[in-house]
């Protein structure tokens, strides 16, 4: 499997700039917890500047796939933000470490950040979601023998997570739609 790890990372590093044609893309090596390093993960975060596809910043993991790949299929994560900030690179490294350290994340899972998304934000959790801002063309990254699925890490509040647990993700997403949230706004109000 070790031969596939570099090709998976390289595939993501090709897929993301191709999807975000016309945007600046820079690969950053974040600090990663010992769990990721022990498992041989060569994690990078692709920092995508505003451009023709979106006026926001996108941060995409490349190498997270290797932390939990099964039968050639694994996950990478994208976070979308209003500015460029090292904070978001660090959050993605934390997500990769958490995901690869025995707390496997999947679609519709949530996780606490342990502090606000940014200082002053009510959002202190992340919801693993489809990448609605970018669509299935970003979500699906084919690999030579499998695929990397890129899922969105959407900042949410503790109250929204509690609502999702009681009523389901679709009900929460309907509230997001009704409130017309701006998902890159760190100071948005909770919808519940």
């Amino acid at each position: 499997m070790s031969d596939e790890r570099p090709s998976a990372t390289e595939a993501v590093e090709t897929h993301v700039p191709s999807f975000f044609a016309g945007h600046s893309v820079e690969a950053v090596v974040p600090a990663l917890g010992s769990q990721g390093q022990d498992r041989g993960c060569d994690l990078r975060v692709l920092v995508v500047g505003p451009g023709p596809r979106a006026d926001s910043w996108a941060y995409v993991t490349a190498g997270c796939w290797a932390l939990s790949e099964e039968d050639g299929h694994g996950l990478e994560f994208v976070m979308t933000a209003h500015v460029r900030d090292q904070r978001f690179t660090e959050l993605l490294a934390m997500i990769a470490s958490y995901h690869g350290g025995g707390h496997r994340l999947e679609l519709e899972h949530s996780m606490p950040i342990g502090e606000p998304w940014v200082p002053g934000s009510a959002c202190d959790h992340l919801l693993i979601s489809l990448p609605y801002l970018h669509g299935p063309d970003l979500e699906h990254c084919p690999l030579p023998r499998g695929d990397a699925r890129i899922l969105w890490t959407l900042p949410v509040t503790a109250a929204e997570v509690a609502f999702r647990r009681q009523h389901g993700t679709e009900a929460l997403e309907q509230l997001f739609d009704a409130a017309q949230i701006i998902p890159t706004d760190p100071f948005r109000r909770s919808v519940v």
Side-chain angles (χ1 to χ4, degrees):
M1 192 54 60
S2 61
D3 293 341
E4 290 187 36
R5 287 180 182 174
S7 66
T9 301
E10 291 167 3
V12 172
E13 289 181 326
T14 300
H15 176 72
V16 170
S18 176
F19 176 81
F20 285 106
H23 294 249
S24 65
V25 179
E26 176 187 357
V28 176
V29 178
L32 184 65
S34 62
Q35 294 168 333
Q37 293 168 348
D38 292 345
R39 297 203 49 198
C41 176
D42 185 20
L43 182 73
R44 291 185 279 285
V45 175
L46 304 176
V47 180
V48 181
R53 279 202 180 263
D55 63 357
S56 54
W57 289 81
Y59 300 80
V60 186
T61 61
C64 189
W65 177 93
L67 293 172
S68 63
E69 168 275 327
E70 288 183 8
D71 299 323
H73 305 283
L75 296 180
E76 299 286 351
F77 299 97
V78 59
M79 179 175 285
T80 308
H82 61 300
V83 295
R84 180 177 180 147
D85 193 314
Q86 180 66 23
R87 165 80 172 145
F88 306 120
T89 301
E90 293 166 359
L91 279 172
L92 281 175
M94 178 187 77
I95 292 162
S97 183
Y98 183 86
H99 177 66
H103 305 283
R104 189 174 177 138
L105 295 168
E106 296 290 343
L107 185 63
E108 299 183 358
H109 284 186
S110 60
M111 66 175 277
I113 301 172
E115 60 188 20
W117 182 41
V118 300
S121 176
C123 297
D124 58 0
H125 285 69
L126 296 171
L127 175 64
I128 308 304
S129 177
L130 295 174
Y132 291 115
L133 291 180
H134 306 299
D137 289 342
L138 177 64
E139 177 186 355
H140 301 288
C141 175
L143 303 176
R145 288 184 284 269
D147 71 322
R149 188 174 188 197
I150 301 173
L151 295 178
W152 189 18
T153 57
L154 174 64
V156 295
T157 67
E160 291 165 345
V161 169
F163 179 89
R164 180 195 58 83
R165 286 185 179 135
Q166 185 173 10
H167 301 284
T169 301
E170 186 173 336
L172 178 60
E173 289 175 346
Q174 288 173 354
L175 291 179
F176 289 154
D177 289 343
Q180 298 180 352
I181 68 162
I182 299 171
T184 57
D185 178 5
F187 306 110
R188 72 168 182 82
R189 293 180 183 219
S190 182
V191 298
V192 294

